[in-house]
Short mmCIF file of all heavy atoms in Angstrom, two decimals:
data_model
loop_
_atom_site.label_atom_id
_atom_site.label_comp_id
_atom_site.label_asym_id
_atom_site.label_seq_id
_atom_site.Cartn_x
_atom_site.Cartn_y
_atom_site.Cartn_z
N ILE A 1 0.83 -1.20 0.00
CA ILE A 1 0.00 0.00 0.00
C ILE A 1 0.87 1.25 0.00
O ILE A 1 0.58 2.23 -0.70
CB ILE A 1 -0.97 -0.03 1.20
CG1 ILE A 1 -2.02 -1.12 0.97
CG2 ILE A 1 -1.63 1.32 1.42
CD1 ILE A 1 -2.88 -1.42 2.17
N TRP A 2 1.95 1.25 0.76
CA TRP A 2 2.86 2.40 0.77
C TRP A 2 3.49 2.61 -0.60
O TRP A 2 3.64 3.75 -1.05
CB TRP A 2 3.96 2.22 1.82
CG TRP A 2 3.50 2.44 3.22
CD1 TRP A 2 3.33 1.49 4.19
CD2 TRP A 2 3.15 3.68 3.84
NE1 TRP A 2 2.88 2.07 5.34
CE2 TRP A 2 2.78 3.41 5.16
CE3 TRP A 2 3.12 4.99 3.39
CZ2 TRP A 2 2.38 4.40 6.04
CZ3 TRP A 2 2.73 5.98 4.27
CH2 TRP A 2 2.35 5.69 5.58
N ALA A 3 3.87 1.52 -1.28
CA ALA A 3 4.48 1.65 -2.61
C ALA A 3 3.47 2.14 -3.64
O ALA A 3 3.80 2.93 -4.52
CB ALA A 3 5.08 0.31 -3.03
N VAL A 4 2.23 1.66 -3.54
CA VAL A 4 1.19 2.15 -4.45
C VAL A 4 0.94 3.63 -4.20
O VAL A 4 0.76 4.41 -5.16
CB VAL A 4 -0.11 1.32 -4.29
CG1 VAL A 4 -1.28 1.97 -4.99
CG2 VAL A 4 0.11 -0.10 -4.81
N ALA A 5 0.95 4.04 -2.94
CA ALA A 5 0.77 5.47 -2.63
C ALA A 5 1.92 6.29 -3.21
O ALA A 5 1.70 7.40 -3.72
CB ALA A 5 0.69 5.67 -1.11
N ALA A 6 3.15 5.76 -3.16
CA ALA A 6 4.29 6.47 -3.75
C ALA A 6 4.13 6.59 -5.26
O ALA A 6 4.41 7.65 -5.84
CB ALA A 6 5.59 5.73 -3.41
N ALA A 7 3.69 5.52 -5.91
CA ALA A 7 3.50 5.58 -7.36
C ALA A 7 2.39 6.56 -7.73
O ALA A 7 2.50 7.29 -8.72
CB ALA A 7 3.19 4.18 -7.90
N MET A 8 1.31 6.58 -6.93
CA MET A 8 0.23 7.52 -7.21
C MET A 8 0.68 8.96 -6.98
O MET A 8 0.34 9.86 -7.75
CB MET A 8 -0.98 7.18 -6.35
CG MET A 8 -1.65 5.89 -6.77
SD MET A 8 -2.97 5.37 -5.68
CE MET A 8 -4.12 6.72 -5.82
N ALA A 9 1.46 9.19 -5.93
CA ALA A 9 1.97 10.54 -5.68
C ALA A 9 2.92 10.97 -6.80
O ALA A 9 2.92 12.14 -7.21
CB ALA A 9 2.69 10.58 -4.33
N ALA A 10 3.70 10.03 -7.32
CA ALA A 10 4.60 10.35 -8.42
C ALA A 10 3.81 10.66 -9.69
O ALA A 10 4.20 11.53 -10.48
CB ALA A 10 5.56 9.20 -8.67
N ALA A 11 2.70 9.96 -9.90
CA ALA A 11 1.86 10.24 -11.08
C ALA A 11 1.23 11.63 -10.97
O ALA A 11 1.20 12.37 -11.96
CB ALA A 11 0.78 9.17 -11.21
N VAL A 12 0.76 11.98 -9.79
CA VAL A 12 0.20 13.32 -9.59
C VAL A 12 1.29 14.37 -9.79
O VAL A 12 1.07 15.40 -10.44
CB VAL A 12 -0.44 13.44 -8.18
CG1 VAL A 12 -0.77 14.88 -7.84
CG2 VAL A 12 -1.67 12.56 -8.10
N MET A 13 2.50 14.08 -9.25
CA MET A 13 3.62 15.00 -9.42
C MET A 13 3.92 15.19 -10.90
O MET A 13 4.14 16.31 -11.36
CB MET A 13 4.84 14.45 -8.69
CG MET A 13 6.12 15.22 -8.92
SD MET A 13 7.57 14.36 -8.29
CE MET A 13 7.71 13.02 -9.46
N ALA A 14 3.93 14.10 -11.67
CA ALA A 14 4.24 14.20 -13.10
C ALA A 14 3.17 15.00 -13.83
O ALA A 14 3.50 15.82 -14.70
CB ALA A 14 4.35 12.80 -13.70
N LEU A 15 1.90 14.78 -13.49
CA LEU A 15 0.83 15.53 -14.15
C LEU A 15 0.94 17.03 -13.87
O LEU A 15 0.76 17.86 -14.76
CB LEU A 15 -0.53 15.01 -13.71
CG LEU A 15 -0.92 13.64 -14.25
CD1 LEU A 15 -2.23 13.19 -13.62
CD2 LEU A 15 -1.04 13.68 -15.75
N VAL A 16 1.25 17.36 -12.63
CA VAL A 16 1.39 18.78 -12.28
C VAL A 16 2.59 19.38 -12.98
O VAL A 16 2.51 20.47 -13.57
CB VAL A 16 1.50 18.94 -10.74
CG1 VAL A 16 1.93 20.35 -10.38
CG2 VAL A 16 0.19 18.60 -10.09
N LEU A 17 3.72 18.67 -12.98
CA LEU A 17 4.92 19.22 -13.61
C LEU A 17 4.78 19.30 -15.13
O LEU A 17 5.27 20.24 -15.75
CB LEU A 17 6.14 18.38 -13.23
CG LEU A 17 6.54 18.46 -11.76
CD1 LEU A 17 7.70 17.53 -11.46
CD2 LEU A 17 6.88 19.88 -11.37
N VAL A 18 4.11 18.33 -15.74
CA VAL A 18 3.88 18.40 -17.18
C VAL A 18 2.95 19.57 -17.49
O VAL A 18 3.16 20.30 -18.46
CB VAL A 18 3.29 17.06 -17.71
CG1 VAL A 18 2.71 17.22 -19.09
CG2 VAL A 18 4.37 15.99 -17.72
N GLY A 19 1.96 19.76 -16.66
CA GLY A 19 1.07 20.91 -16.85
C GLY A 19 1.79 22.23 -16.73
O GLY A 19 1.50 23.18 -17.45
N LEU A 20 2.76 22.29 -15.83
CA LEU A 20 3.52 23.53 -15.67
C LEU A 20 4.48 23.76 -16.82
O LEU A 20 4.80 24.89 -17.15
CB LEU A 20 4.30 23.50 -14.35
CG LEU A 20 3.46 23.59 -13.08
CD1 LEU A 20 4.34 23.43 -11.85
CD2 LEU A 20 2.70 24.90 -13.03
N SER A 21 5.00 22.68 -17.44
CA SER A 21 5.97 22.87 -18.50
C SER A 21 5.36 22.89 -19.89
O SER A 21 6.07 23.04 -20.85
CB SER A 21 7.09 21.85 -18.44
OG SER A 21 6.71 20.63 -17.96
N LEU A 22 4.05 22.73 -20.01
CA LEU A 22 3.43 22.80 -21.33
C LEU A 22 3.55 24.19 -21.93
O LEU A 22 3.67 24.34 -23.13
CB LEU A 22 1.97 22.37 -21.27
CG LEU A 22 1.73 20.88 -21.22
CD1 LEU A 22 0.24 20.59 -21.15
CD2 LEU A 22 2.34 20.17 -22.40
N GLY A 23 3.53 25.20 -21.09
CA GLY A 23 3.67 26.56 -21.59
C GLY A 23 5.04 26.79 -22.21
O GLY A 23 5.19 27.57 -23.14
N ASP A 24 6.04 26.12 -21.70
CA ASP A 24 7.39 26.28 -22.23
C ASP A 24 7.63 25.42 -23.47
O ASP A 24 8.61 25.62 -24.16
CB ASP A 24 8.43 25.91 -21.17
CG ASP A 24 8.29 26.76 -19.92
OD1 ASP A 24 7.83 27.91 -20.03
OD2 ASP A 24 8.64 26.26 -18.85
N ALA A 25 6.76 24.44 -23.71
CA ALA A 25 6.90 23.49 -24.82
C ALA A 25 8.26 22.80 -24.77
O ALA A 25 8.92 22.61 -25.79
CB ALA A 25 6.67 24.18 -26.15
N ALA A 26 8.69 22.42 -23.59
CA ALA A 26 9.98 21.76 -23.43
C ALA A 26 9.77 20.26 -23.43
O ALA A 26 9.42 19.67 -22.41
CB ALA A 26 10.64 22.22 -22.14
N ALA A 27 9.97 19.63 -24.57
CA ALA A 27 9.75 18.19 -24.70
C ALA A 27 10.74 17.40 -23.84
O ALA A 27 10.38 16.37 -23.26
CB ALA A 27 9.87 17.77 -26.16
N ALA A 28 11.94 17.88 -23.72
CA ALA A 28 12.95 17.18 -22.92
C ALA A 28 12.57 17.21 -21.44
O ALA A 28 12.74 16.22 -20.73
CB ALA A 28 14.32 17.81 -23.13
N ALA A 29 12.03 18.32 -20.98
CA ALA A 29 11.62 18.42 -19.57
C ALA A 29 10.45 17.49 -19.30
O ALA A 29 10.40 16.83 -18.26
CB ALA A 29 11.24 19.86 -19.24
N ILE A 30 9.52 17.41 -20.22
CA ILE A 30 8.37 16.52 -20.04
C ILE A 30 8.83 15.06 -20.02
O ILE A 30 8.39 14.27 -19.19
CB ILE A 30 7.33 16.76 -21.15
CG1 ILE A 30 6.70 18.13 -20.96
CG2 ILE A 30 6.26 15.67 -21.14
CD1 ILE A 30 5.80 18.56 -22.08
N ALA A 31 9.74 14.70 -20.91
CA ALA A 31 10.26 13.32 -20.94
C ALA A 31 11.00 12.99 -19.65
O ALA A 31 10.84 11.89 -19.11
CB ALA A 31 11.18 13.13 -22.15
N ALA A 32 11.78 13.92 -19.14
CA ALA A 32 12.50 13.68 -17.89
C ALA A 32 11.54 13.50 -16.72
O ALA A 32 11.76 12.65 -15.86
CB ALA A 32 13.46 14.84 -17.62
N GLU A 33 10.48 14.28 -16.70
CA GLU A 33 9.49 14.16 -15.62
C GLU A 33 8.77 12.82 -15.67
O GLU A 33 8.51 12.20 -14.64
CB GLU A 33 8.49 15.31 -15.71
CG GLU A 33 9.10 16.65 -15.39
CD GLU A 33 8.32 17.81 -15.97
OE1 GLU A 33 7.26 17.57 -16.58
OE2 GLU A 33 8.78 18.95 -15.84
#
């Protein structure tokens, strides 16, 4: 359950960070995230 929570938190983190970097259109930053 702790590992699933970590994966879910990482998915939320990725969605937020991808949303923040869409304005910059930085494909490399999105891939790294």
Side-chain angles (χ1 to χ4, degrees):
I1 290 170
W2 285 109
V4 168
M8 290 174 62
V12 169
M13 173 190 71
L15 288 174
V16 169
L17 293 177
V18 165
L20 291 176
S21 32
L22 281 179
D24 301 331
I30 292 172
E33 292 158 3

